[in-house]
Every structure is written in structure tokens, then in C-alpha cells.
Amino acid sequence: MSRVSVTYRVRGDAASIEERAAALAIEQSVEMPLDAIADARIRRDIVGEVQGISEAKPGLFEVRIGLAADTTGYEAGQLLNMLFGNSSIQPDVTLVDAEIPEAMARAFGGPNLGTEGLREKVCAGARALACAALKPQGLSPDELAALAARLAGGGIDVIKDDHGLADQIYSPFADRVKAVAEAVRETNARTGYATLYAPNVSGSFDAAADQIALAEAEGIEAVLIEPMLMGVSNFHRLTRLFSNVAFIAHPAMAGAARIAPPFLLGTLFRLFGADVTIYPNYGGRFSYSPETCRAIAEAARRPWAGLKPCCPCPAGGMTLQRVDELLDFYGADTMLLIGGSLLAARERMTEEAAAFQARVVRHFEGAPE
């Protein structure tokens, strides 16, 4: 019986950690007293196994549990449920990591395009990618389209909606997508750039599917989506249904559960189909450390079961002045996202976007095509 080896961080003491680990193994598998299970096969194959316990520091232990792979049903929501469903309610436990069997990883499929596919779309060669955001909320479709045209005029690789843009009365999804897509197409035709526009899709599964279909009809090849708001099962199903679309995963609500960011944003989002994973960069307005940011990036793009790499996208309070520092830190297989800093340039927005793009390109001028 194939097992998923799951690592948890558990607060406790040395005297009771073995008992706590055994209880965690039961909670995340059969969720009932073992002496109430008469079937020897279930006790042997389905009940979680404590595979190891180590002390990370006083009062904090790493506990490794082996969970039967078949209990996940090879379905995204059920996988997350088996990894952390009940235990997410227990305040002493954090989900740190899991070794997903290769057969399971291949069954989920991973990214549609991956980093190389995105590079091909925007004619980027071997360099990193540059991304900008449309905001704030409250603007009309025409106003957002005007912003997009100015950013695309600077050659930005990807322009995404802010994740707060949905299907609001002041900017209905259909009207916004048509206006912005047309503005980006016209700008690309004039400049020769290949900027991609990624509208934010949201709502129910049916609403999101309709929005992606509408976007595809407008010639759009990428979308932004919030897996933790949409639900990981819906997210994964959408990535399989729209296999020619690149999915940029936004981390909204990803901090609401005690799941280590490298595993959630790097491994699981990639497993479920994210081509790009956005996350809070160190030194910005969020509190992730450089070590956490590097671990997210490594999880997103490491060789794994033949899945395409997911492109890490550090964001959150980014500025033009930090571009070279961050490209040195993350390397070429990265997308940098600058939002408000570019928009703040106002009448000089196109020039600032061009400076951002040029700095990314110059950093990798020696990279092979």
C-alpha cells in the first residue's frame, strides 16, 4: 500500500509526544478508536503510521506520519483533507510538508504551460519575467484598459488584474476583459511586444469556468485565480478543463491555515496546476523571511515526477530599485511582480514599465536563448 509521508510540527513535551503523534496518525486517517476497528486490513493498510519523531527545539517536535495514498481518492480537496483536515483545528499542529508519490503527482498533472511555456508566449528567451498589476478597485473597464495600454507600452511580459477585481457593478468581468484585451492587443500590434493579460476569475465553479471560456474567446491565454478562495478541488478541475491556459495562483487566504508556505504555495499549488505562484516577498509589506521565500521558489521549480516547473512570483511592495537584488537571489526562473510602484508613476507609467522590463532583460543579457 503506497503511503504519503507527511511532516507536521507539533508543540508538546518529550514525555507525551509519542502518544500525541499516535493520536495525530489516527486523527488524520480513521478518526476513531483502534479497538473499535475489527477489520485487520483497515488496521494494517489504512490507519496512519508514525514514521518518525524528532525534536526541532525544546517544546517543538517534527512528527512524520505515513497516510495511505488511496484515502486521498487522488482528488485535490480530499488530499488536503487527509493531510490536515481535522488537525487544522488543533492549535498545536502545523502542516509542514509531504512526500507525494510520483504516481499521484503525475495523476494530478501539475502546470499546463510551466515556466518555459510562459517564456515562449512572451518571447522571453531564458530570462526572468516581469509582471504588473491593474488596480485599484473602483475603476471602470475603460480606465483599466487605459492603464493596461500604458503598461503594455513599456513591454511588460504579463499584466494581471488585481485579485480584488471580480464581477463588480463598476467593472463587470465581461466588459473589463474585452476592453483590456483589446487595449493590450492593439498595443502589442503597435510595439511588437507580446504582453499577456491575465484577468482575475472568481465566484462559483460555473462562474469561473464561464469567465475563462469568455477570456479564451478574446484570445487571452492566462488567468489569475485564488485557489484557497475558489477551493482547491475547483481550482484543479479548472486547470484540467482549460489545458491551454496558464493559471497564475494568488495567495489570498493562504495564510488562514497553519500550512507551511513552501508546501502550500510551492508544492500543492503546483501539483494542482498553477503555472505561476505569487507569494509575499521578503523585505516588503509582509513578513516572510528570505529562507521561506527561497524554499517556496525551490518547491515550485524543483524536478518532480516529470511535472513542469511552476514559476515563482515574489510580490508585495516591490520596487524598481530591488530588481537586480531579487534576480540575483531568485535567478532566471522567476517572475517579478511590481504593482503600486509602477502605477504611482502616473503620466510616466509607460517609461517606468519600460525601465522595469529593461532592467530584467539586461540582468540576463548573457543568458543563452
Side-chain angles (χ1 to χ4, degrees), residues 196-353:
L196 287 180
Y197 167 50
N200 184 45
V201 299
S202 61
S204 68
F205 175 87
D206 290 341
D210 288 345
Q211 289 173 356
I212 298 172
L214 187 153
E216 276 198 310
E218 288 294 324
I220 291 170
E221 299 175 288
V223 297
L224 181 74
I225 193 167
E226 296 74 46
M228 300 305 283
L229 297 178
M230 179 68 62
V232 293
S233 295
N234 290 332
F235 168 55
H236 180 244
R237 180 61 179 150
L238 289 168
T239 67
R240 301 309 91 183
L241 280 176
F242 296 94
S243 58
N244 294 319
V245 173
F247 285 78
I248 302 174
H250 189 281
M253 289 300 291
R258 292 184 312 282
I259 304 177
F263 182 57
L264 179 60
L265 304 178
T267 298
L268 287 182
F269 279 13
R270 175 188 180 186
L271 180 71
F272 299 150
D275 296 274
V276 178
T277 182
I278 299 173
Y279 58 91
N281 189 52
Y282 70 92
R285 66 181 190 270
F286 300 95
S287 58
Y288 283 2
S289 68
E291 294 75 19
T292 295
C293 291
R294 191 186 300 278
I296 294 170
E298 290 176 351
R301 59 196 181 192
R302 65 182 171 89
W304 181 29
L307 301 188
K308 293 175 182 176
C310 172
C311 189
C313 183
M318 301 274 285
T319 63
L320 186 61
Q321 290 70 32
R322 297 191 66 196
V323 167
D324 290 318
E325 168 209 345
L326 296 173
L327 292 177
D328 284 339
F329 182 83
Y330 287 110
D333 296 330
T334 307
M335 178 186 292
L336 297 187
L337 169 57
I338 299 182
S341 178
L342 289 181
L343 298 176
R346 297 193 179 183
E347 65 274 3
R348 296 195 68 259
M349 193 183 307
T350 298
E351 290 80 2
E352 285 294 295

Side-chain angles (χ1 to χ4, degrees), residues 12-27:
D13 56 66
S16 62
I17 190 60
E18 289 188 7
E19 181 180 355
R20 180 67 185 93
L24 180 60
I26 293 170
E27 192 68 54

Side-chain angles (χ1 to χ4, degrees), residues 122-202:
V122 299
C123 306
R127 62 168 172 82
L129 303 176
C131 180
L134 298 179
K135 57 175 72 178
Q137 291 196 58
L139 296 179
S140 69
D142 288 343
E143 290 170 321
L144 290 166
L147 285 180
R150 296 171 75 178
L151 291 169
I156 295 293
D157 295 310
V158 179
I159 299 171
K160 73 169 190 67
D161 280 351
D162 180 65
H163 78 279
L165 294 175
D167 195 23
Q168 293 108 335
I169 190 169
Y170 47 77
S171 185
F173 180 88
D175 295 343
R176 180 175 79 252
V177 165
K178 291 177 181 179
V180 175
E182 182 177 4
V184 171
R185 276 196 305 271
E186 290 178 352
T187 304
N188 285 344
R190 175 172 55 81
T191 63
Y193 295 130
T195 298
L196 287 180
Y197 167 50
N200 184 45
V201 299
S202 61

